[in-house]
Amino acid sequence: MKHDFDSVVDRRGTNCKKWDTYGEDVLPMWIADTDFRCPEPIVKAIQERALHPVFGYPALSKDYENAVSSWQHRRFGWDVSPDWVEYTPAVVPAIVYAMRAFTHPGDRIIVQMPAYHPFHQVIPHNGRFIAPNPLREEADGSWSVDWENFEELAADPRTTMFLLCSPHNPTGKCFTKDELLHFAAICEKHHVFVVSDEIHSDIVYKKNRHIPFGHINEWAANHCIVCINPSKTFNIAGFRTGAAIIPNRHNHDLFYNELENLKAFGRNIFGTLAVQTAYTDCEYYADQLVEYLEGNLEYTHRFLTEKIPEIRLGVIQATYLLWLDCRALKMDHLRLMDFFLDEAKVALNDGYTFGKEGDGFMRLNIACPRSQLTEALHRMAKAVTQWRTLQK
């Protein structure tokens, strides 16, 4: 099957957070969902199920677990037993359940900065503390791990968990096997449990490869939870359905206890169907999506270099979220938000919400038709040109 990613879908007025948050004169390029139509097999499966007029409690079958298992095997070479798979209502709730299962109030959790903004909320809201491990920006725009700082944090007896975001949001870093093994070695040495958020794992660009943390060695498999969700890939975030992969049975039981404690084990009848269909019938879509996004990435990099050199794009290895270095504009984060929203009429994510390390950065979502991306970049170029004139 061939999907048309150039097709424009009007999402305004559909109770859409991305498009209905701002006025009609603003082009939304912020929150991490795509502006592409879902794969046709998912649309058809939902339509056919909706024809049945009763939507009661779904029975628990192994179709969901088998679909997750098969995807991990085909895409990443990880032989996941269906028994390792647990339904979760999205990834962030799974992280909360894992915190409650494997840490205690007052514990410290390592998070690499800048970090996905909900991490800054759910950790303190559950009585835990963030132990920040800032990623280091290299001269070529790539990102590396501060290993000395990471081990220092892990060695603190109050540190009991490492929340890994792999691939990393917002920097777009794809961790190598050597890096993942180094994480595992330090965490093993200091008895730190690992929760790996791998929601962006399907969107990895040339010369890079996503490796599930639970697949790197036996220790990692026995001391981790891998959280996944096809929402980013297939644009089905509204179904609020994900999965946790937990190879160790004892850890799985502890995790499930928290689901029971919070009555979070009931499945979404349409969400599970969408995930099963995505992982079973939509591999073609994932392949074509990455190819299209790679074109958007190359176009954006070329445009910024030629038209807006004040905005620097570093090395993006994964995700459709571009971490834009806007520090040359010499604006604080509030001024940056106003600048893009009011003057460029483009809604981006404020980098400061990802931590103080994000001050001077903005996050741009390029998962949209090329025509929309082109319009957004031209709006940004016009606003920066006007700013440039005022600086003279």
Side-chain angles (χ1 to χ4, degrees):
M1 297 177 66
K2 179 69 176 176
H3 190 86
D4 181 9
F5 290 96
D6 283 318
S7 177
V8 176
V9 180
D10 184 2
R11 302 182 65 191
R12 291 194 188 276
T14 62
N15 194 27
C16 172
K17 187 173 184 178
K18 184 176 188 178
W19 283 85
D20 292 337
T21 295
Y22 298 101
E24 292 191 5
D25 60 336
V26 173
L27 199 55
M29 307 288 286
W30 60 297
I31 195 169
D33 67 7
T34 81
D35 286 319
F36 305 126
R37 180 180 171 88
C38 292
E40 197 60 28
I42 294 178
V43 176
K44 287 184 176 179
I46 296 300
Q47 288 173 337
E48 290 173 5
R49 178 60 187 87
L51 290 175
H52 191 286
V54 179
F55 310 109
Y57 294 115
L60 297 184
S61 72
K62 281 292 183 181
D63 292 344
Y64 185 77
E65 289 84 348
N66 289 335
V68 172
S69 172
S70 176
W71 187 260
Q72 290 293 314
H73 172 76
R74 298 196 318 273
R75 304 297 285 192
F76 311 116
W78 188 19
D79 291 327
V80 169
S81 166
D83 292 337
W84 300 354
V85 179
E86 189 58 60
Y87 164 87
T88 63
V91 164
V92 173
I95 292 169
V96 174
Y97 310 147
M99 280 195 296
R100 293 171 63 96
F102 300 101
T103 70
H104 297 92
D107 285 0
R108 289 160 56 86
I109 297 174
I110 299 174
V111 179
Q112 292 179 314
M113 300 294 176
Y116 177 49
H117 39 91
F119 293 175
H120 295 271
Q121 300 163 353
V122 297
I123 293 174
H125 288 179
N126 283 275
R128 280 72 170 169
F129 295 91
I130 293 175
N133 174 229
L135 292 173
R136 295 188 299 202
E137 185 181 7
E138 303 296 340
D140 65 352
S142 63
W143 297 84
S144 63
V145 179
D146 184 340
W147 293 108
E148 183 178 353
N149 174 259
F150 186 87
E151 177 139 27
E152 181 181 330
L153 295 173
D156 186 329
R158 296 171 296 173
T159 300
T160 54
M161 180 175 285
F162 169 36
L163 176 50
L164 170 64
C165 187
S166 176
H168 188 262
N169 174 17
T171 66
K173 176 177 175 58
C174 183
F175 294 96
T176 66
K177 186 172 184 180
D178 285 344
E179 288 173 322
L180 295 174
L181 286 169
H182 201 169
F183 284 138
I186 293 173
C187 290
E188 179 179 12
K189 178 181 177 182
H190 298 292
H191 311 289
V192 175
F193 193 82
V194 180
V195 175
S196 187
D197 171 0
E198 302 187 8
I199 196 169
H200 296 281
S201 56
D202 295 325
I203 303 159
V204 175
Y205 302 120
K206 293 172 187 170
K207 300 180 181 179
N208 300 283
R209 181 169 67 98
H210 173 72
I211 303 170
F213 187 82
H215 187 35
I216 59 173
N217 62 24
E218 186 176 358
W219 182 88
N222 283 309
H223 296 83
C224 84
I225 290 176
V226 172
C227 303
I228 64 167
N229 188 334
S231 62
K232 305 302 180 192
T233 312
F234 302 103
N235 207 11
I236 53 175
F239 287 120
R240 310 300 298 171
T241 300
I245 303 173
I246 315 168
N248 182 281
R249 188 69 243 173
H250 178 65
N251 292 339
H252 196 146
D253 291 343
L254 292 175
F255 181 84
Y256 190 79
N257 286 345
E258 290 305 320
L259 265 72
E260 284 195 319
N261 292 343
L262 298 169
K263 204 178 186 301
F265 50 82
R267 301 190 179 190
N268 181 313
I269 193 169
F270 286 106
T272 51
L273 176 59
V275 171
Q276 288 164 206
T277 306
Y279 283 158
T280 303
D281 300 326
C282 300
E283 194 157 5
Y284 76 95
Y285 183 98
D287 291 337
Q288 294 170 29
L289 171 70
V290 173
E291 181 181 356
Y292 191 86
L293 291 174
E294 204 144 37
N296 276 0
L297 174 59
E298 291 169 1
Y299 175 77
T300 304
H301 189 275
R302 185 168 61 251
F303 189 99
L304 293 176
T305 301
E306 295 174 358
K307 306 289 187 182
I308 326 177
E310 292 88 349
I311 298 178
R312 181 170 177 254
L313 177 61
V315 177
I316 303 296
Q317 300 170 327
T319 85
Y320 50 69
L321 306 167
L322 307 191
W323 195 230
L324 304 181
D325 183 350
C326 303
R327 288 174 291 186
L329 296 176
K330 300 175 183 178
M331 303 177 189
D332 64 29
H333 74 102
L334 294 176
R335 176 70 184 99
L336 269 178
M337 278 294 292
D338 290 342
F339 175 75
F340 285 107
L341 196 58
D342 297 334
E343 298 177 37
K345 297 297 181 181
V346 177
L348 307 177
N349 283 101
D350 177 2
Y352 197 78
T353 63
F354 297 80
K356 61 183 178 61
E357 295 81 3
D359 194 12
F361 289 80
M362 300 292 285
R363 195 184 74 170
L364 168 70
N365 179 350
I366 61 167
C368 61
R370 191 80 38 86
S371 60
Q372 179 180 320
L373 175 61
T374 300
E375 172 65 20
L377 291 174
H378 277 283
R379 291 186 184 192
M380 292 163 60
K382 181 179 179 180
V384 172
T385 298
Q386 292 172 344
W387 169 87
R388 197 183 295 140
T389 301
L390 293 173
Q391 302 310 301
K392 294 180 181 179

